[in-house]
């Protein structure tokens, strides 16, 4: 296992905290450097030699040959290899015995795994593309803003912590946690404004990001659920093969076959049980689904991950960008003592709220003018929401907001020429500008200001109500406070707006404004209103979350953002549903301290990263178990990993979304890591199994549906494939027991497994979802297996046996009509196969040479083959549904199934009549009527299965089984009934 | 995922025991006796039904067949050749002409084989008109033509009970496979050729290795119960210089355009090859 992330944080702390505690001069001492001059070049070279370049060590790449070998022999392929090995052994035995036909028999058993490709597609790994700049100090200021001369340069930490807002940096030690303290800046973060000088304390892999990267590479890839299922399936098939093999070894020994012959039989049986075509089919099915998912913006890197998504039971989702649109948008307005809601959808073109009030006119003017953001030129034809803006997030939001409502903002600004401006900074927390007005009659200047609401209010003495300035009394201030709290409580960033028309006599047209000396009033202004902004949820997300919920998937939000914002977004997208409460909510409602609340009553929980840090894993487990709706806020990347592990301890299959480098350990740890295609870093994409091309949470839900569908369909495919395995095995068993001529050849079996059956089994991957696919719980990893007892028993012991019976009828018919009645065939094996006997007598007294008998035997093979093919058509049709009638599902809805059926019959026709004269393939032309011998049995299979489905629909639970045998139809049902689902209850709609 | 803790061996053993027989619920292999009984009953009924269905369909199919003639005979359009005696291993004769034990098996086989050709066994058979096909498709009971053992001359076993093996002139009987309705055209005759010249001279009985047309066609086991297929005896006079040498002899049917003797794949279609090695 990898180091516990908690302890990793501590290790960070020990070295980093020490540094963060030291003063500048102490640091200079410690690192032998100078804050002014930096290191001497000799010293720098020395350190470079000691520590290496300031670059991350790329993850150890697996050699291509190892990858290739893994593909060749991993998982399912091993079964085929063992089969191949056994074939050579039995070939060797036969050759040593001097059996001429060794070449005939054995070459057929050898499967061809390498050509089929392997189950896993190679992962599309590329190396980390970290820049290996060797910077000795923080990067130089990358903004050319001369006016930004501020003491606390903000740093964009988003790639490290996921915080969407820049964090300010200063020389003060503010926090024990190195990630939180203000006097450390990190590798891979950027200074968005201003300048800063610092001392490098760690480089390369010893940086925080380096540790995260090594953490990610230390997290082993867990086996995907489908890989586990395939392994289980291999065990099952191997178990069946070996038990039947050993059983018949004992039988053949006690029937006085030679030991060597018995061993060959044993090997033959084992190999006959290997479904050679399944590997190809499963891979193709998964690829098809992956392709379909790619069309829906889910790019799957690892084929097996396709299914993992379907069995997902918990999604740990990021907030920013995944659940939200990742752009600030004006959500609410407050003016005239009233809160108005704005449209926050992705493609807004108008705003519906009441815009008739003169206060709004004044407010809109401030919003438009007191704003430095601008559209990049040349985007006039784009929708407003899609245009690129130069400016920070809030200004952008305001610009777009006013552009939507007022139209051309740029020309409005041009008409109201700006004469002076104080841009926003974090000390005075306001932004101010002075404009000429667009009214030629009005020669006054307009001073507009926006900023933190409380700061703005401090500077105001009046407030505008319905266009009239009224004195700001305590009652109105109270109203302001209430509105401010309410908007803030919704997790929104609130800005206050005020203005002042400067008196014309004091500020004539020629007045020179000086922003340094502030020769104009900045108090006693007129308060106009509040605007609040939020990164709104994507419009498709609430629906997707509710779909997840009905699909039994728990959605957990894990974000670096503030709890209030996180909770607000969680509520608006339905992660916390409208009716559920957190412990804090209950405490507030009942007016009791939080400690007294019964924690079991709260279905929702908002957990702060700080709380999480102090929690034991038992406490975390308890939260994950007891609350259905959970939000983790202010979490660090390491904590994300802890949360993922906690979920996995619950036995859940966890999907994690992430974009930053910091997310990569969690992405790797998760059963399925989902990286963001647009916002995601390369490291995240590397660590993930899947990439969401549109960063949209809703795409995950589509992926879940596809994943579940492929699981269902793979089940159908395997059931289909396993069935005919029995029809291929039975002849061999009967051949041993009854000593009849061999009913089906090995080459023929391969032509079924790798020929006629391939396209139909792939066609099942195109089967449409049954209507309840998103209404059932995620499958239980331990209980709902891909191949369970029911499926195996139903395929092997029921449908498979029926197929064998049908095929044997054809076989006996062919022999009987050529002169060998069934009674004659029993016990003839040794003489029949004897090369030297060329006057073998049939039931009518005719005599056959060895070759004539062999030719008849091949006709028997062909007949058996054709019968299996015909019955596989019925098998294919019955596998279309699990419990619905075929007539309900529609015979023709899945066109690909028909392509499968026609290809199946087409290939059989070509083999029989086209290649019927190539003796090496052991096919012979077949009389036309033999194609129909098995048809009644095919119909029987269909009817039988319809009856089974009818019974399990009528009597889904064993508690309402009037017929004694129905209970045992359950035993036969492919899928255990989902008792939770109302449709499947006794009073189902089918009755 | 949390690492799965390995269960202690004793616990997993106990779980297995529990699975095999659970005394609390009376479950055996995860099911109660009643449950197992019902499953058994189900499969009994199910397989009983399938067996009945199989039997029924086979019965229906057999009803469509005639007792006398197989429905199709296209897989054996041309007959194969076979010899008697047929050595156990391959078609290779090894014997010592002075050691009666070494060829006793061949002699017994020949005697047994010719048993059914004895005159006493052929009392019901009739003398047919030689040289032409004996058509009797109208007759309800098909008659068999007599095959006189004396036609086999020195190889009939009457004059020489050892069929020439003791004299270095071993007899091998060549016969043609029975095929219902086969009517050879022309004058079919067996001709054998040794691979190496000068080692052996070959005598045929009847003369020229002829197979008389009167023995054809064959009407099948049930209609043509006493049918005897014509035989050609080949007597190999092995040259004194060829003892202890392996002589390969190939016999073919000639003289009949509808009897194939040169099939690439079927080495016994209208021909047969065997080896003889005699020591003194």
């Amino acid at each position: 296992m990898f180091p516990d992330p908690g302890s990793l944080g501590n290790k960070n702390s020990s070295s980093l905290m020490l540094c963060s505690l030291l003063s500048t001069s102490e640091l200079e001492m410690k690192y032998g450097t100078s804050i002014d001059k930096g290191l001497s070049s000799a010293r720098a070279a020395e350190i470079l030699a000691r520590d290496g370049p300031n670059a991350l060590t790329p993850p150890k790449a697996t050699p291509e040959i190892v990858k290739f070998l893994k593909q060749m022999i991993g998982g399912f392929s091993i079964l085929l290899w063992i089969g191949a090995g056994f074939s050579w052994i039995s070939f060797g035995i036969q050759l040593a015995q001097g059996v001429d036909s060794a070449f005939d028999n054995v070459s057929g058993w050898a499967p061809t795994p390498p050509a089929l490709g392997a189950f896993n597609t190679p992962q599309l790994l590329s190396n980390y593309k970290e820049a290996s700049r060797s910077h000795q100090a923080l990067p130089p200021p990358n903004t050319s803003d001369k006016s930004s001369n501020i003491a606390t340069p903000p740093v964009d930490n988003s790639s490290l912590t996921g915080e969407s807002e820049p964090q300010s940096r200063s020389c003060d030690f503010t926090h024990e946690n190195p990630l939180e303290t203000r006097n450390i800046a990190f590798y891979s973060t950027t200074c968005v404004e201003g300048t800063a000088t610092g001392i490098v304390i760690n480089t390369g892999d010893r940086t925080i990001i380096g540790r995260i990267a090594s953490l990610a590479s230390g997290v082993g890839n867990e086996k995907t659920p489908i890989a586990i299922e395939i392994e289980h399936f291999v065990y099952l098939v191997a178990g069946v093969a070996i038990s039947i093999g050993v059983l018949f070894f004992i039988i053949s020994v006690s029937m006085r076959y030679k030991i060597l012959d018995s061993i060959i039989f044993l090997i033959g049986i084992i190999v006959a049980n290997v479904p050679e075509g399944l590997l190809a089919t499963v891979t193709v099915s998964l690829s098809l689904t992956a392709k379909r998912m790619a069309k829906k913006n889910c790019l799957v890197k690892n084929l097996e991950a396709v299914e993992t998504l379907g069995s997902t039971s918990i999604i740990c989702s990021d907030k920013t960008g995944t659940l939200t649109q990742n752009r600030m948008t004006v959500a609410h307005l407050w003016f005239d003592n009233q809160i108005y809601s704005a449209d926050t959808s992705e493609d807004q073109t108008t705003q519906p709220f009441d815009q008739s009030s003169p206060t709004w006119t004044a407010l809109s003017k401030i919003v438009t003018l007191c704003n430095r953001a601008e559209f990049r030129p040349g985007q006039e034809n784009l929708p407003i929401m899609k245009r690129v803006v130069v400016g920070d997030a809030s200004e952008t939001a305001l610009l777009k907001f006013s552009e939507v409502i007022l139209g051309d903002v740029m020309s409005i600004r041009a008409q109201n020429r700006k004469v002076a401006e104080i841009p926003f900074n974090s000390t005075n927390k306001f932004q101010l500008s002075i404009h000429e007005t667009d009214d030629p009659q009005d020669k006054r200047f307009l001073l507009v200001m926006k900023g933190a609401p409380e700061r703005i209010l401090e500077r105001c003495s009046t407030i505008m109500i319905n266009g009239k300035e009224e004195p700001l009394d305590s009652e109105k201030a109270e109203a302001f406070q209430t509105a401010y709290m309410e908007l803030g409580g919704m997790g929104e960033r609130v800005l206050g707006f005020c203005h002042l028309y400067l008196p014309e006599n004091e500020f004539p047209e020629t007045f020179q404004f000086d922003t340094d000396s502030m020769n104009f009033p900045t108090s006693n202004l007129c308060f106009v209103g509040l605007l609040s902004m939020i990164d709104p949820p994507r419009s498709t997300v609430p629906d997707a979350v509710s779909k997840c919920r009905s699909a039994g998937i728990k959605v957990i939000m894990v974000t670096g953002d503030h709890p209030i914002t996180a909770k607000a977004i969680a509520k608006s997208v339905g992660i916390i549903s409208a009716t559920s409460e957190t412990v804090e909510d209950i405490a507030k409602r009942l007016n009791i301290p939080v400690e007294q609340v019964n924690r079991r009553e709260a279905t929702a929980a908002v957990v702060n990263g700080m709380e999480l840090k102090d929690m034991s894993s038992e406490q975390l487990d308890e939260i994950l178990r007891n609350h259905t709706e959970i939000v983790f806020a202010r979490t660090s990347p390491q904590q994300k990993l802890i949360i993922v592990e906690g979920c996995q301890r619950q036995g859940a299959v966890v999907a994690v979304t992430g974009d930053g480098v910091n997310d990569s350990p969690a992405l790797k740890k998760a059963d399925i890591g989902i990286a963001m295609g647009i916002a995601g870093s390369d490291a995240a994409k590397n660590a993930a199994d899947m990439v969401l091309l549109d960063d949209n949470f809703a795409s995950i839900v589509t992926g879940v549906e596809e994943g579940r569908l492929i699981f269902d369909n793979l089940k159908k495919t395997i059931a289909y494939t396993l069935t005919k395995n029995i029809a291929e095995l039975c002849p061999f068993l009967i051949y041993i027991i009854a000593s009849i001529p061999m009913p089906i050849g090995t080459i023929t079996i391969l032509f079924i497994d790798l020929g006629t059956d391939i396209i139909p089994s792939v066609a099942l991957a195109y089967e449409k979802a049954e209507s309840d696919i998103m209404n059932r719980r995620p499958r239980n990893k331990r209980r709902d297996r891909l191949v369970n007892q029911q499926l195996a028993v139903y395929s092997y012991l029921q449908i498979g046996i029926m197929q064998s019976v049908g095929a044997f009828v054809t076989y006996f018919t062919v022999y009987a009509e050529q002169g060998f009645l069934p009674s004659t065939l029993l016990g003839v094996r040794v003489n029949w196969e004897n090369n030297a006997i060329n006057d073998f007598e049939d039931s009518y007294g005719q005599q056959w040479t060895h070759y004539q008998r062999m030719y008849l035997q091949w006709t028997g093979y062909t007949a058996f083959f054709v019968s299996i093919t015909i019955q596989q058509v019925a098998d294919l049709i019955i596998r279309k549904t699990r419990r619905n009638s075929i007539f309900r599902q529609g015979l023709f809805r899945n066109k690909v199934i028909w392509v499968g059926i026609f290809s199946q019959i087409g290939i059989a026709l070509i083999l029989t009549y086209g290649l019927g004269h190539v003796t090496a393939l052991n096919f012979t032309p077949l009389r036309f009527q033999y194609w129909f011998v098995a048809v009644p049995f095919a119909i029987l299979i269909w009817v039988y299965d319809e009856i089974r489905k009818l019974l399990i629909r009528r009597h889904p639970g064993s508690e309402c089984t009037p017929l004694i045998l129905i209970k045992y139809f359950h035993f036969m049902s492919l899928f255990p009934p989902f008792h939770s689902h109302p449709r499947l209850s006794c009073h189902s709609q089918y009755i | 995922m949390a690492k799965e803790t390995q269960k202690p061996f004793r616990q997993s053993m106990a779980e297995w025991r529990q699975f095999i027989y659970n005394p609390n619920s009376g479950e055996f292999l995860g099911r109660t006796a009643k449950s197992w009984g019902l499953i058994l009953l189900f499969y009994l009924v199910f397989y009983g039904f399938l067996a009945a269905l199989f039997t029924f369909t086979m019965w229906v199919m057999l009803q469509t067949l005639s007792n006398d003639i197989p429905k199709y005979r296209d897989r054996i359009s041309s007959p194969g050749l076979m010899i008697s005696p047929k050595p156990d291993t391959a078609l290779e004769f090894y014997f010592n002409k002075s050691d009666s034990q070494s060829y006793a098996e061949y002699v017994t086989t020949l005697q047994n084989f010719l048993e059914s050709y004895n005159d006493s066994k052929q009392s019901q058979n009739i003398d047919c008109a030689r040289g032409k096909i004996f058509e009797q498709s109208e007759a309800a009971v098909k008659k068999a033509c007599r095959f006189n053992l004396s036609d086999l001359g020195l190889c009939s076993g009457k004059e020489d009970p050892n069929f020439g093996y003791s004299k270095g002139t071993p007899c091998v009987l060549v016969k043609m496979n029975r095929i219902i309705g086969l009517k050879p055209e022309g004058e079919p005759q067996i001709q054998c050729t040794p691979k190496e010249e000068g080692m052996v001279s070959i005598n045929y009985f009847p003369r020229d290795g002829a197979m008389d047309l009167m023995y054809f066609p064959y009407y099948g086991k049930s209609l043509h119960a006493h049918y005897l297929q014509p035989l050609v005896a080949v007597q190999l006079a092995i040259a004194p210089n060829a003892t202890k040498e392996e002589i390969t002899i190939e016999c073919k049917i000639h003289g009949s355009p509808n009897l194939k003797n040169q099939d690439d794949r079927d080495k016994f279609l209208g021909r047969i090859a065997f080896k003889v090695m005699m020591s003194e």
Side-chain angles (χ1 to χ4, degrees), chain B residues 28-226:
Chain B
F28 172 70
L29 293 176
R31 286 177 186 280
T32 59
K34 190 184 162 211
S35 170
W36 277 115
L38 285 168
I39 285 177
L40 222 62
L41 180 70
F42 170 78
Y43 278 99
L44 216 64
V45 172
F46 182 72
Y47 289 146
F49 167 75
L50 283 185
L53 189 72
F54 177 75
T55 317
F56 174 72
T57 28
M58 292 295 281
W59 179 79
V60 169
M61 185 267 292
L62 292 176
Q63 291 312 299
T64 65
L65 300 180
S66 138
N67 274 329
D68 309 327
I69 305 173
K71 196 163 177 178
Y72 303 113
R73 299 189 303 274
D74 55 332
R75 289 289 180 263
I76 37 172
S77 50
S78 193
L81 287 193
M82 201 52 196
I83 52 169
S84 181
K86 189 189 81 64
D88 264 352
T89 48
L91 296 170
E92 289 163 3
F93 295 84
Y94 296 105
F95 67 97
N96 186 330
K97 75 173 181 183
S98 26
D99 175 9
S100 64
Q101 275 303 308
S102 67
Y103 53 81
E105 200 192 324
Y106 306 138
V107 173
T108 335
T109 311
L110 281 171
Q111 279 167 349
N112 290 340
F113 183 76
L114 292 176
E115 189 77 7
S116 50
Y117 287 82
N118 267 340
D119 289 344
S120 56
K121 294 273 169 69
Q122 295 203 50
S123 54
Q124 290 172 337
N125 294 2
I126 57 164
D127 290 314
C128 305
R130 288 185 172 267
K132 62 176 194 194
I133 299 282
F134 180 38
E135 194 79 56
Q136 43 180 338
S137 45
E138 268 82 54
V141 178
K142 320 291 185 197
K143 296 231 160 54
C145 293
R146 188 187 306 277
F147 185 90
N148 284 325
L149 261 189
S150 50
D151 288 352
L152 296 180
L154 290 172
C155 291
S156 64
K158 285 183 174 165
E159 292 148 41
D160 180 0
N162 283 331
F163 297 94
Y165 283 85
S166 57
K167 296 172 189 157
T169 54
C171 286
V172 173
L173 296 176
V174 178
K175 62 196 178 80
M176 196 166 79
N177 280 351
R178 291 192 293 264
I179 289 174
I180 293 173
L182 176 75
K183 297 175 194 167
E185 293 159 11
E187 293 178 347
Q189 58 177 138
I190 300 290
Q191 278 181 12
C192 299
T193 43
K195 215 170 183 183
E196 296 86 8
E197 288 292 323
M199 286 185 168
V200 70
S201 61
I202 297 169
N203 261 330
Y204 300 96
F205 306 97
R207 198 147 30 104
D208 300 332
M211 273 193 187
D212 204 295
L213 289 181
M214 69 177 175
Y215 298 105
F216 300 97
Y218 174 52
Y219 286 99
K221 197 155 82 171
S222 67
L223 292 178
H224 219 162
H226 298 283

Side-chain angles (χ1 to χ4, degrees), chain A residues 165-209:
Chain A
E165 284 173 46
Q167 307 293 308
S168 61
R169 284 288 170 264
S170 69
C171 295
D172 308 320
F173 167 72
T174 55
H175 204 285
E176 290 183 357
N177 184 341
L179 279 171
E180 297 267 340
T181 188
R182 290 220 169 154
N183 58 352
I184 294 183
F186 299 101
Y187 182 30
S188 87
T189 65
T190 50
C191 178
V192 294
E193 206 176 347
T195 55
T197 311
I199 294 172
V200 175
I201 51 177
N202 273 322
T203 56
D205 288 341
R206 289 165 299 282
T207 59
I208 294 278
I209 206 107

Side-chain angles (χ1 to χ4, degrees), chain A residues 55 161 191 239 254 300 405 480 535-536 543 672 777 834 865 879 947 956 975 980:
Chain A
T161 61
C191 178
S254 51
V300 180
I405 298 175
F480 160 86
D535 180 11
D543 186 41
I672 176 163
R777 275 178 306 203
N834 189 335
F865 161 81
R879 301 301 182 184
I947 293 171
F975 300 83
S980 60

Side-chain angles (χ1 to χ4, degrees), chain A residues 223-229 293 304-315 551-554 651-655 671-672 700 703-712 773-774 776-782 784-786:
Chain A
K223 266 194 185 139
T224 58
I226 193 74
I228 295 170
E229 289 306 317
M293 282 166 88
E304 295 176 21
V306 170
E307 193 280 323
T308 313
L309 201 54
S311 45
T312 298
S313 53
I314 295 182
I315 300 176
I553 302 167
K554 201 161 156 180
V653 175
V654 185
D671 295 287
I672 176 163
I700 301 178
V704 169
E705 192 170 343
E706 289 291 344
R708 290 186 172 193
L709 182 59
I710 193 66
F711 190 79
D712 280 3
I773 192 153
M774 288 304 273
R776 41 182 221 239
R777 275 178 306 203
R779 74 184 180 90
N780 182 319
K781 283 202 282 198
R782 299 206 176 84
D784 310 330
R785 310 311 301 252
L786 180 66

Side-chain angles (χ1 to χ4, degrees), chain A residues 414-594:
Chain A
Q415 285 160 21
N416 297 272
R417 200 173 63 84
K418 192 192 287 179
V419 290
E421 180 177 47
I422 302 176
F424 184 87
N425 71 48
S426 43
T427 27
N428 45 19
K429 293 208 183 289
F430 70 79
Q431 178 180 351
L432 176 154
S433 58
I434 300 167
H435 299 260
E436 292 170 356
T437 63
D438 53 357
D439 184 355
Q441 313 300 316
D442 194 348
K443 294 290 174 211
R444 291 178 301 174
F445 285 104
L446 174 63
L447 183 151
V448 289
M449 186 194 251
K450 75 166 187 233
E454 65 277 9
R455 296 287 180 89
I456 297 294
L457 197 73
E458 278 168 16
R459 296 171 187 274
C460 293
S461 56
T462 58
I463 182 164
M464 187 180 271
I465 305 287
N466 294 326
K468 292 190 187 67
E469 280 186 35
E470 291 178 17
L472 187 62
D473 50 24
S474 61
E475 187 195 333
K476 294 206 172 65
E478 189 69 21
F480 160 86
Q481 278 302 338
T482 319
Y484 182 27
M485 292 308 288
E486 189 174 344
L487 296 177
M490 288 190 278
E492 296 175 4
R493 186 195 293 172
V494 192
L495 287 178
F497 294 83
C498 63
H499 72 183
L500 181 71
Y501 282 95
L502 300 176
E504 202 178 347
N505 46 3
E506 281 178 55
F507 300 94
E509 229 175 316
T510 53
F511 187 83
Q512 285 298 312
F513 291 96
D514 180 4
T515 53
D516 291 331
S517 62
M518 300 247 249
N519 58 352
F520 45 86
T522 55
S523 57
N524 291 326
L525 310 176
C526 172
F527 192 85
V528 182
L530 295 171
L531 246 72
S532 67
M533 284 164 292
I534 197 164
D535 180 11
R538 290 165 177 268
S539 52
T540 46
V541 169
D543 186 41
V545 170
S546 85
K547 266 189 188 163
C548 281
R549 191 154 288 179
S550 57
I553 302 167
K554 201 161 156 180
V555 182
I556 294 178
M557 184 197 274
V558 182
T559 175
D561 226 328
H562 286 276
I564 298 172
T565 320
K567 189 175 166 192
I569 293 293
K571 280 210 154 168
S572 64
V573 298
I575 288 179
I576 294 180
S577 50
T579 51
S580 61
E581 293 177 307
T582 62
V583 174
E584 291 77 17
D585 289 337
I586 295 174
K588 204 167 151 195
R589 177 164 55 84
L590 300 175
N591 214 359
I592 50 171
V594 173

Side-chain angles (χ1 to χ4, degrees), chain A residues 279-513:
Chain A
L279 178 61
T281 314
V282 169
T283 311
V284 171
S285 301
L286 287 176
S287 313
L288 284 173
T289 307
K291 218 173 137 191
R292 208 152 54 198
M293 282 166 88
K295 258 187 217 156
K296 294 175 181 171
N297 290 321
C298 297
L299 189 69
V300 180
K301 280 172 56 191
N302 179 352
L303 269 194
E304 295 176 21
V306 170
E307 193 280 323
T308 313
L309 201 54
S311 45
T312 298
S313 53
I314 295 182
I315 300 176
C316 291
S317 177
D318 241 5
K319 181 183 76 73
T320 313
T322 316
L323 296 171
T324 65
Q325 301 170 17
N326 198 16
R327 57 182 174 82
M328 281 306 212
T329 306
V330 174
H332 291 97
L333 306 91
W334 180 78
F335 55 85
D336 294 346
N337 270 332
Q338 208 179 333
I339 291 179
Y340 297 89
S341 297
D343 179 9
T344 55
S345 65
E346 284 95 330
D347 49 355
Q348 44 183 291
T349 45
T350 53
Q351 284 292 354
F353 66 90
D354 181 19
Q355 293 157 12
S356 57
S357 163
T359 317
W360 161 247
T361 317
L363 182 59
S364 65
K365 200 155 208 170
I366 310 171
V367 170
T368 312
L369 297 180
C370 189
N371 192 333
R372 284 156 48 93
E374 282 175 24
F375 288 111
R376 281 246 176 89
Q379 306 186 81
E380 286 72 22
N381 300 326
L382 283 176
I384 296 167
M385 286 298 145
K386 296 238 163 69
R387 291 185 203 166
V388 181
V389 175
V390 186
D392 76 15
S394 325
E395 297 237 290
T396 305
L398 294 172
L399 173 64
K400 288 186 174 173
F401 181 68
S402 40
E403 179 89 9
V404 165
I405 298 175
L406 303 173
D408 194 352
V409 169
M410 288 306 156
S411 67
I412 297 176
R413 285 196 199 156
Q415 285 160 21
N416 297 272
R417 200 173 63 84
K418 192 192 287 179
V419 290
E421 180 177 47
I422 302 176
F424 184 87
N425 71 48
S426 43
T427 27
N428 45 19
K429 293 208 183 289
F430 70 79
Q431 178 180 351
L432 176 154
S433 58
I434 300 167
H435 299 260
E436 292 170 356
T437 63
D438 53 357
D439 184 355
Q441 313 300 316
D442 194 348
K443 294 290 174 211
R444 291 178 301 174
F445 285 104
L446 174 63
L447 183 151
V448 289
M449 186 194 251
K450 75 166 187 233
E454 65 277 9
R455 296 287 180 89
I456 297 294
L457 197 73
E458 278 168 16
R459 296 171 187 274
C460 293
S461 56
T462 58
I463 182 164
M464 187 180 271
I465 305 287
N466 294 326
K468 292 190 187 67
E469 280 186 35
E470 291 178 17
L472 187 62
D473 50 24
S474 61
E475 187 195 333
K476 294 206 172 65
E478 189 69 21
F480 160 86
Q481 278 302 338
T482 319
Y484 182 27
M485 292 308 288
E486 189 174 344
L487 296 177
M490 288 190 278
E492 296 175 4
R493 186 195 293 172
V494 192
L495 287 178
F497 294 83
C498 63
H499 72 183
L500 181 71
Y501 282 95
L502 300 176
E504 202 178 347
N505 46 3
E506 281 178 55
F507 300 94
E509 229 175 316
T510 53
F511 187 83
Q512 285 298 312
F513 291 96

Side-chain angles (χ1 to χ4, degrees), chain A residues 116-129:
Chain A
L116 298 177
F119 190 66
N120 306 301
T121 48
Q123 298 206 355
L124 318 161
L125 279 176
S126 65
N127 291 327
Y128 282 98
K129 286 181 194 129

